[in-house]
């Protein structure tokens, strides 16, 4: 329609447009074509035109003089469906919890971050596994961390789905409980979950069979710390002169002497106490 006019002009349809750039070019061509017709006093015809991408023009295919020519009538091969409120309500009630709703519930019910909730709810099987682990006694955040890190890495490496994973939600919950009780360290737990994944054995059985129980006995750890300090006077002197990184070496030596089974929190506490005293 001319600029300033209130009534719409005559409709022309354009077909055979196969790309977004084609849509743009076809519209631009039609603006010029119809504008030229109107400026010269002509009348735009109601018709269907085809887009010729090679030539960059639209070509008339067939004229349509009224709405009847658009064939607006019911499809005889499709049976009419009447949707009543009761039927719609039954269908809605039978639907499972959808990803968006589950994601929001994970954030509120389990105090998960938006990122954690997004990752865990992206796949129904993973979301189900997470909730089963929490139901089995695992705290939500540790369960989310182990599923998204160590377990996910094992699944990807072995090309295994979480549904067929040998680490059951209950086994993961038991493993997390052992970490939180101080029975094993997080580092040892990584080896344990890999063995559960391969064999299906419970964490407790693996820890007992391999003698992986974490040592939290203060006297045993203190004895090892004193031995390390005596064997490495250089790093001790460096730490006391202000080189904080030297402590990391000493911690590593203590853990090495305890075959990685020393409780890290207890090791660090006793090491700090003895370094401060001597």
């Amino acid at each position: 329609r001319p600029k300033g006019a209130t009534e719409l002009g005559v409709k022309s349809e354009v077909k055979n447009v196969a790309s977004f750039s084609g849509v743009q070019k076809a519209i631009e061509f039609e603006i010029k074509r119809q504008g030229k017709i109107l400026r010269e006093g002509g009348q735009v015809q109601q018709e269907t035109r085809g887009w010729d991408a090679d030539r960059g023009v639209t070509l008339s295919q067939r004229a349509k003089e009224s709405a009847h020519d658009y064939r607006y009538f019911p499809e005889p091969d499709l049976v009419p469906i009447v949707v009543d409120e009761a039927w719609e309500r039954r269908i809605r009630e039978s639907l499972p919890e959808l990803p968006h709703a589950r994601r929001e519930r994970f954030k509120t019910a389990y105090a998960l971050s938006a990122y954690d909730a997004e990752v865990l709810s992206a796949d129904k099987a993973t979301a189900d596994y997470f909730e089963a682990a929490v139901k089995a006694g695992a705290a939500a955040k540790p369960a989310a961390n182990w599923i998204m890190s160590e377990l996910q890495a094992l699944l990807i490496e072995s090309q295994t789905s979480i549904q067929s994973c040998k680490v059951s939600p209950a086994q993961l919950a038991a493993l997390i409980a052992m970490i939180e009780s101080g029975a094993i360290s997080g580092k040892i737990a990584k080896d344990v979950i890999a063995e559960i994944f391969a064999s299906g054995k419970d964490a407790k059985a693996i820890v007992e069979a391999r003698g992986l129980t974490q040592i939290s006995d203060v006297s045993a750890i203190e004895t090892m710390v004193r031995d390390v300090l005596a064997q490495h006077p250089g790093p001790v002197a460096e730490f006391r002169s202000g080189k904080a990184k030297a402590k990391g070496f000493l911690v590593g030596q203590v853990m090495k002497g305890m075959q990685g089974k020393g409780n890290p929190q207890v090791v660090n506490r006793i090491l700090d106490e003895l370094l401060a005293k001597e």
Side-chain angles (χ1 to χ4, degrees):
R1 61 183 176 182
K3 185 176 181 179
T6 58
E7 294 184 3
L8 292 173
V10 177
K11 176 173 63 178
S12 289
E13 296 182 359
V14 179
K15 307 183 88 173
N16 309 326
V17 186
S19 66
F20 287 113
S21 63
V23 170
Q24 178 182 348
K25 292 174 183 177
I27 291 173
E28 290 173 348
F29 177 83
E30 278 298 294
I31 290 172
K32 292 178 181 178
R33 182 186 73 84
Q34 295 183 26
K36 184 174 183 295
I37 292 173
L38 295 175
R39 284 194 302 272
E40 294 176 352
Q43 178 67 43
V44 176
Q45 299 299 310
Q46 180 169 291
E47 61 183 338
T48 295
R49 301 180 68 85
W51 172 244
D52 186 329
D54 293 332
R55 296 166 57 188
V57 299
T58 64
L59 302 172
S60 180
Q61 292 184 332
R62 57 186 173 275
K64 294 181 176 180
E65 298 179 356
S66 66
H68 299 293
D69 290 317
Y70 286 88
R71 299 293 186 266
Y72 294 146
F73 58 85
E75 166 56 55
D77 293 329
L78 295 181
V79 179
I81 298 177
V82 178
V83 179
D84 61 75
E85 292 184 4
W87 180 84
E88 183 180 354
R89 185 169 58 254
R90 288 197 304 272
I91 295 299
R92 287 185 180 279
E93 291 173 353
S94 69
L95 290 175
E97 185 179 28
L98 298 179
H100 176 74
R102 201 167 200 181
R103 181 166 61 250
E104 294 304 310
R105 182 169 62 80
F106 278 9
K107 289 192 289 185
T108 56
Y110 301 115
L112 294 180
S113 67
Y115 174 78
D116 290 352
E118 176 79 28
V119 173
L120 292 172
S121 63
D123 173 72
K124 184 178 184 301
T126 301
D128 290 344
Y129 185 100
F130 165 74
E131 293 213 89
V134 173
K135 188 176 181 180
K141 182 57 179 174
N145 290 344
W146 278 91
I147 291 169
M148 295 189 298
S149 57
E150 298 303 319
L151 186 58
Q152 185 65 21
L154 291 168
L155 292 171
I156 293 173
E157 184 180 358
S158 63
Q159 296 185 336
T160 305
S161 67
I162 200 166
Q163 296 99 314
S164 57
C165 171
K166 290 183 180 180
V167 184
S168 69
Q171 286 175 315
L172 179 64
L175 178 66
I176 293 171
M178 293 186 75
I179 300 169
E180 294 178 342
S181 69
I184 58 174
S185 65
K187 183 177 180 181
I188 290 174
K190 292 181 180 180
D191 294 331
V192 174
I193 194 173
E195 187 162 337
I196 300 174
F197 189 87
S199 66
K201 296 179 181 178
D202 289 340
K204 186 176 180 180
I206 294 170
V207 169
E208 291 177 352
R210 293 176 55 185
L212 298 174
T213 302
Q214 183 169 257
I215 300 172
S216 297
D217 181 76
V218 174
S219 60
I221 293 176
E222 184 175 337
T223 299
M224 180 59 66
V225 171
R226 288 185 181 277
D227 288 345
V228 168
L229 294 180
Q231 294 168 14
H232 301 282
V236 172
E238 289 179 4
F239 177 80
R240 287 176 176 157
S241 67
K243 294 183 179 180
K245 289 185 178 180
K247 181 187 172 184
F249 170 79
L250 296 172
V251 171
Q253 292 303 304
V254 174
M255 296 301 289
K256 180 179 179 182
M258 304 189 79
Q259 298 179 323
K261 294 185 284 185
N263 186 313
Q265 288 77 26
V266 180
V267 169
N268 276 277
R269 178 171 59 79
I270 293 176
L271 189 56
D272 286 339
E273 292 173 357
L274 295 180
L275 284 171
K277 287 180 181 179
E278 299 178 14

